[in-house]
Amino acid sequence: EADIYQTPRYLVIGTGKKITLECSQTMGHDKMYWYQQDPGMELHLIHYSYGVNSTEKGDLSSESTVSRIRTEHFPLTLESARPSHTSQYLCASGLGAGETDTQYFGPGTRLTVL
Amino acid sequence: DQQVKQNSPSLSVQEGRISILNCDYTNSMFDYFLWYKKYPAEGPTFLISISSIKDKNEDGRFTVFLNKSAKHLSLHIVPSQPGDSAVYFCAASAGDDKIIFGKGTRLHILP
């Protein structure tokens, strides 16, 4: 069983607010990822990190930012939320590299921006 | 341009019968393939994977088949159980620590 946690699980917020979505894992994985998923659609990679102080943008452009100050923690921040940011945000971690590319997901945060 | 395609948005199967979920890919650099299962309001759960050097991998009721020449893989679930009702995502990796996901197939197991 993967030990990866996300808070909050659900968030409804007004336009223009700053929000931070938390993600923590206790598996000691170096690699962590943020995905965005809309209903009926594939998961889109928006950020990833290969370790402390490493962050990269993913394949889908996002106005969010991330930080990786500690191995176990990979928060995502939106400085000014907009209705177009309404989506499910999924955090994952993994060992990476070929056959060990399996990623383990947290429960997700369902964000609604009014 | 979708690199991983799941052309069936949904599938209904009688309990006890075999469920077959299909997936096609376009990138010949993919060398590792995964299936994830997702319940509503939860994150995807890793189910089973297969390396490109194999053509079959089995884990209990779940078997994944890979046909590299056709760039096609399938997930077989037998026998299907009510708890198998979920969305199944096919995913692939080219060994660059990134996973590309399909859009998913919603599986309904009928009583």
Side-chain angles (χ1 to χ4, degrees), chain A residues 3-98:
Chain A
D3 295 322
I4 180 164
Y5 309 98
Q6 289 184 246
T7 57
R9 293 291 311 277
Y10 301 91
L11 180 61
V12 180
I13 200 163
T15 296
K17 299 291 186 183
K18 177 181 179 178
I19 58 169
T20 296
L21 308 185
E22 302 288 347
C23 176
S24 294
Q25 51 98 4
T26 59
M27 296 170 283
H29 290 160
D30 284 327
K31 297 178 174 64
M32 295 189 73
Y33 309 82
W34 275 103
Y35 292 87
Q36 186 174 339
Q37 191 211 3
D38 294 318
M41 300 298 289
E42 60 266 61
L43 282 69
H44 288 289
L45 181 67
I46 52 175
H47 297 283
Y48 60 100
S49 167
Y50 287 156
V52 172
N53 294 326
S54 150
T55 61
E56 302 287 344
K57 289 194 177 293
D59 303 320
L60 180 69
S61 175
S62 173
E63 294 167 344
S64 58
T65 60
V66 292
S67 62
R68 190 90 183 274
I69 299 171
R70 302 196 318 262
T71 298
E72 63 271 22
H73 195 214
F74 191 39
L76 180 146
T77 298
L78 273 167
E79 290 293 333
S80 179
R82 293 208 301 269
S84 61
H85 296 140
T86 294
S87 190
Q88 185 177 37
Y89 292 84
L90 293 159
C91 180
S93 73
L95 292 168

Side-chain angles (χ1 to χ4, degrees), chain B residues 76-107:
Chain B
H76 293 212
I77 306 173
V78 56
S80 300
Q81 298 175 353
D84 296 331
S85 292
V87 177
Y88 289 79
F89 288 96
C90 173
S93 170
D96 57 354
D97 301 324
K98 294 183 191 177
I99 293 179
I100 307 298
F101 287 83
K103 291 187 176 182
T105 296
R106 184 175 298 278
L107 177 64

Side-chain angles (χ1 to χ4, degrees), chain B residues 13-79:
Chain B
V13 175
Q14 208 74 34
E15 181 180 354
R17 306 294 274 269
I18 184 171
S19 295
I20 301 176
L21 295 98
N22 293 303
C23 178
D24 297 297
Y25 62 95
T26 58
N27 189 343
S28 57
M29 297 301 291
F30 288 148
D31 60 3
Y32 187 62
F33 303 88
L34 311 93
W35 284 94
Y36 283 84
K37 175 180 178 180
K38 186 178 185 298
Y39 292 120
E42 294 184 14
T45 302
F46 170 71
L47 201 56
I48 193 170
S49 63
I50 187 167
S51 164
S52 60
I53 61 173
K54 297 180 180 178
D55 54 19
K56 176 183 175 181
N57 188 26
E58 192 172 349
D59 183 3
R61 295 186 299 115
F62 303 92
T63 303
V64 57
F65 295 91
L66 175 63
N67 182 334
K68 282 183 62 180
S69 61
K71 293 192 176 69
H72 177 83
L73 64 156
S74 61
L75 174 68
H76 293 212
I77 306 173
V78 56

